[in-house]
Amino acid sequence: MTDRKPTTCMRCAVGCGYRQRAGDGGDLVEVRGDDDHPTNGGETCSRGVRETVDPSGERLTQPLIRRGGTLRPTDWDTVLGTVSVRIIEALRNGNDNVAVLGSGQQTNEAAYALGKLARGGFGTRHYDANTTLCMASAVQAYMQAFGSDAPPPTYEDVPDAETHVIWGANPKIAHPVLYRRIADSASDDGGELIVVDPVESETAADADLHVRPEPGTDLALARAVLARAVDDDLVDREFVERHTEGFEAVVGSLPDVDVAAETAGVSVDRISELAAAFDARTLVYWGMGVNQSVQGTGAARSLIDLCLATGNLGPGSGPFSLTGQANSMGNRVCASKSSWPGYRPFGDTAHRKAIANAWDVPLSRLPDSSGPGFVRIIDELARDNVDVCWTVATNPAAGMPDANHVESALEDAFLIVQDAFRSDTVELADVVLPAATWGESEGTVMNMERRVSRVTAAREPPDGVRQDVDIIGAVADRIVPELFESTRLDPEALFDEVAALTRGTTADLSGISYGRLSEDLAVRWPASDETAEGGYRYYAGGSEDDGDAGGVGAAAAGVPDGDGPWSFPTDSGRARFSNASHGGIPEPIDEAYPLTLTTGRRPDAYNTGVRTRPDGDDESATAARMHPETIADNLRAFDRGETVIESRRSAVTVRVAPDADVPPGLVWLPVHNPATNRLTLSAADPDSAEPNLKQCAVALRAPDRMATEIVGGSGQPNGTGSHP
């Protein structure tokens, strides 16, 4: 037996510390919580442990190349030679002729190396990661409101909150360890848990108040709540006047409460109750139910506006987006995706010059635009404007909306798939690069509260499998050999390189090193030296690095305002209100498509399901949930417990589970399921490029027994990647 090695769970973005141990045969035999880890103090969830020790997906253990229409085993020299030739040929026709799609499942080091190769080696605009499908709307909201990405609060604020508002998220399923803290705090005397969700989720079942808006109307509801807060004099005028800008403009743009309530399908009394909840120390958490919308950025901004208007910024309060993928934030900070490392602005010439100098590449090679985003890159593939597509730790054939369109686009390109498990995207690949997975890789990740921690290898990858950084380095060596110092990239050296590039930025990692992480296990940025650690963001009364947020917070909670100034990295130094208004849903129901499809997470699978294929006999894991009234109204559409769900894009046959927790007129399917996403539409938020995965119009019809596509056959939800 090996010694237990410290690592980080890659199941979600809570970032729990684990201790892992391999047996004499090299397999992981034990994973347990790390009692010393500052994130979780030894707590775990059974799913995280199970999916780390014993994933049930089909492992990729050797390179594959398509010959005669079939993927066949080959060797690394052959597959890397093929990859390099095809990429070099494509680049001759322009830098943007190669698309690279990364993942929130990569380590910081792999994400940084891939971004460096895509931007500095290939010079392509067509580079993104599947984090755009999950967190882009929250990112844009933070940037627009505060001038920087990432939520202001930390986990340490959870016990101090009096009210917990969970909006469009189900953390009891998606983030169990964090949810225990939320539930414990809400159960204290005077505590309250409020859930906003069209469906009575597992989290909503615990709530003191459950508000059920129509899918796609979160922005209308949030604006109505802010209007009621203004009407009921719940505004913290001192905080607003001293530390924000744009408040009068937003007040002038607010809707009539009665009209907005009708739009959202929520009673005015419920809106009044929601507004009153902010007259306390309040944390607002939100997830994909808010983000995955054509109005996701506006809805997230409106939740931030509610916090600003009521003075709920400070210890125990504030806006806190919940991240699904384990390293979504690390991808944003390190990967050169929508900003250069450290959130350096993409189009800023000085920052582009700094990156070009650090990478020793021509400035002209670096794109001056971050590109069209994940969804629109697929559209470029479909238009034959991109010849080569390289996916890393992501499964777009299952996780993207309008999956038939996605499959067709990927089939038209020369498709390189780098992954650890067989996936829907692997089936479309021209070449497959088998990658190491949890317990076999070295690097770091960042959790949703900005803590950086190590992931470590307790065992060697199977023969024929390589770590992500080694694959990226080998590809780079054949195409741009001068980009990296060595073919075999060293994770620690890569981390030191990206940390140096973040020095002095709003996401400063320069005080974090592998040596420090071996002692402290996890360190929250910004950390500008070897003793600094970030706390509550933007409060300048105490050092942001010393973890002490000072004494400013929600006036209604008795936290005095005035001990020191807030400082935001905006032009004015103030937080900014927004004036977005509800513009309607992209695909309303009508006579032809009279029902609304929405999607959500299940507790029994990871990402698109490639690690956790459910048992085919487990009907509860593969069925569409519908209210009995919906079933009764559509009896002719059912045959032997099955129906066909049809949208304007496709139709799929599903098993049906009657469920009164789903309101009448709504059809619930698991998110990021490949059959589900044949139905969803690719309309996207214009600010964030995040797709509208939570709402589309559908109809039911009787099954055609010649068609047998059953939801669940290709996996289940919770993100869009399949290995870190």
Side-chain angles (χ1 to χ4, degrees), residues 210-225:
H210 179 199
V211 181
R212 303 177 78 153
E214 294 289 334
T217 64
D218 299 281
L219 176 54
L221 177 58
R223 277 332 208 192
V225 175

Side-chain angles (χ1 to χ4, degrees), residues 156-498:
E156 292 164 11
D157 294 293
V158 173
D160 295 331
E162 296 172 341
T163 302
H164 301 266
V165 178
I166 298 175
W167 197 306
N170 188 10
K172 188 171 184 178
I173 292 303
H175 306 97
V177 173
L178 175 60
Y179 180 70
R180 290 172 204 154
R181 298 188 188 185
I182 296 171
D184 287 347
S185 177
S187 66
D188 289 344
D189 290 342
E192 187 175 26
L193 176 63
I194 298 173
V195 174
V196 180
D197 195 316
V199 174
E200 184 165 340
S201 66
E202 292 84 349
T203 303
D206 292 344
D208 299 296
L209 173 65
H210 179 199
V211 181
R212 303 177 78 153
E214 294 289 334
T217 64
D218 299 281
L219 176 54
L221 177 58
R223 277 332 208 192
V225 175
L226 181 55
R228 177 59 78 208
V230 172
D231 291 344
D232 292 350
D233 198 26
L234 301 177
V235 175
D236 183 341
R237 298 284 176 180
E238 184 177 2
F239 181 85
V240 167
E241 290 171 6
R242 294 184 61 195
H243 304 303
T244 72
E245 61 185 2
F247 180 68
E248 294 306 321
V250 71
V251 170
S253 71
L254 290 174
D256 178 84
V257 173
D258 290 347
V259 173
E262 184 176 0
T263 298
V266 174
S267 71
V268 173
D269 288 343
R270 279 286 185 260
I271 288 171
S272 297
E273 291 177 278
L274 258 176
F278 285 83
D279 193 24
R281 189 184 288 117
T282 302
L283 275 169
V284 183
Y285 316 83
W286 75 90
M288 301 310 106
V290 170
N291 293 337
Q292 289 175 336
S293 163
V294 293
Q295 300 180 133
T297 300
R301 289 276 326 251
S302 294
L303 298 183
I304 294 171
D305 289 346
L306 276 166
C307 294
L308 294 176
T310 57
N312 274 294
L313 203 65
S317 67
F320 202 160
S321 55
L322 300 177
T323 306
Q325 292 192 85
N327 201 33
S328 178
M329 185 172 293
N331 193 279
R332 284 137 57 186
V333 171
C334 300
S336 302
K337 183 174 77 77
S338 57
S339 62
W340 300 113
Y343 297 145
R344 294 170 179 262
F346 208 91
D348 185 285
T349 301
H351 285 291
R352 289 179 67 242
K353 286 181 178 178
I355 296 298
N357 290 337
W359 290 350
D360 194 22
V361 299
L363 178 63
S364 60
R365 186 185 295 169
L366 299 183
D368 57 7
S369 164
S370 59
F374 208 113
V375 172
R376 301 307 168 223
I377 289 173
I378 295 295
D379 291 342
E380 291 298 301
L381 289 165
R383 296 186 189 104
D384 292 328
N385 291 334
V386 178
D387 286 342
V388 173
C389 181
W390 179 11
T391 71
V392 181
T394 189
N395 187 13
M400 294 282 291
D402 195 0
N404 289 339
H405 170 68
V406 175
E407 284 187 10
S408 176
L410 294 174
E411 286 175 337
D412 287 345
F414 183 82
L415 181 60
I416 305 159
V417 176
Q418 180 172 325
D419 217 326
F421 291 86
R422 200 156 189 121
S423 72
D424 312 85
T425 305
V426 165
E427 300 307 322
L428 306 174
D430 292 288
V431 294
V432 178
L433 311 176
T437 185
W438 310 349
E440 302 166 359
S441 299
E442 295 283 343
T444 60
V445 291
M446 292 180 202
N447 72 357
M448 71 177 84
E449 63 149 1
R450 295 177 275 121
R451 283 194 193 272
V452 180
S453 59
R454 285 293 312 278
V455 292
T456 59
R459 63 182 181 189
E460 291 294 321
D463 290 341
V465 173
R466 298 184 181 183
Q467 290 193 40
D468 276 336
V469 293
D470 294 328
I471 299 171
I472 294 164
V475 173
D477 186 58
R478 286 163 171 77
I479 300 171
V480 278
E482 72 281 0
L483 190 65
F484 295 104
E485 292 185 1
S486 171
T487 303
R488 191 171 180 83
L489 304 183
D490 174 43
E492 184 171 5
L494 288 169
F495 183 85
D496 290 344
E497 185 176 324
V498 70

Side-chain angles (χ1 to χ4, degrees), residues 87-172:
I87 291 177
I88 289 169
E89 289 176 346
L91 291 174
R92 290 193 182 112
N93 294 317
N95 294 359
D96 293 339
N97 203 25
V98 174
V100 181
L101 301 174
S103 169
Q105 295 303 305
Q106 297 172 272
T107 62
N108 293 319
E109 294 77 4
Y112 172 69
L114 187 67
K116 183 176 179 179
L117 178 55
R119 300 300 200 190
F122 303 160
T124 183
R125 291 170 57 253
H126 293 141
Y127 167 59
D128 201 0
N130 58 26
T131 55
T132 296
L133 307 179
C134 306
M135 295 305 300
S137 295
V139 169
Q140 284 298 313
Y142 288 134
M143 293 294 293
Q144 293 173 14
F146 301 130
S148 179
D149 180 19
T154 73
Y155 296 163
E156 292 164 11
D157 294 293
V158 173
D160 295 331
E162 296 172 341
T163 302
H164 301 266
V165 178
I166 298 175
W167 197 306
N170 188 10
K172 188 171 184 178

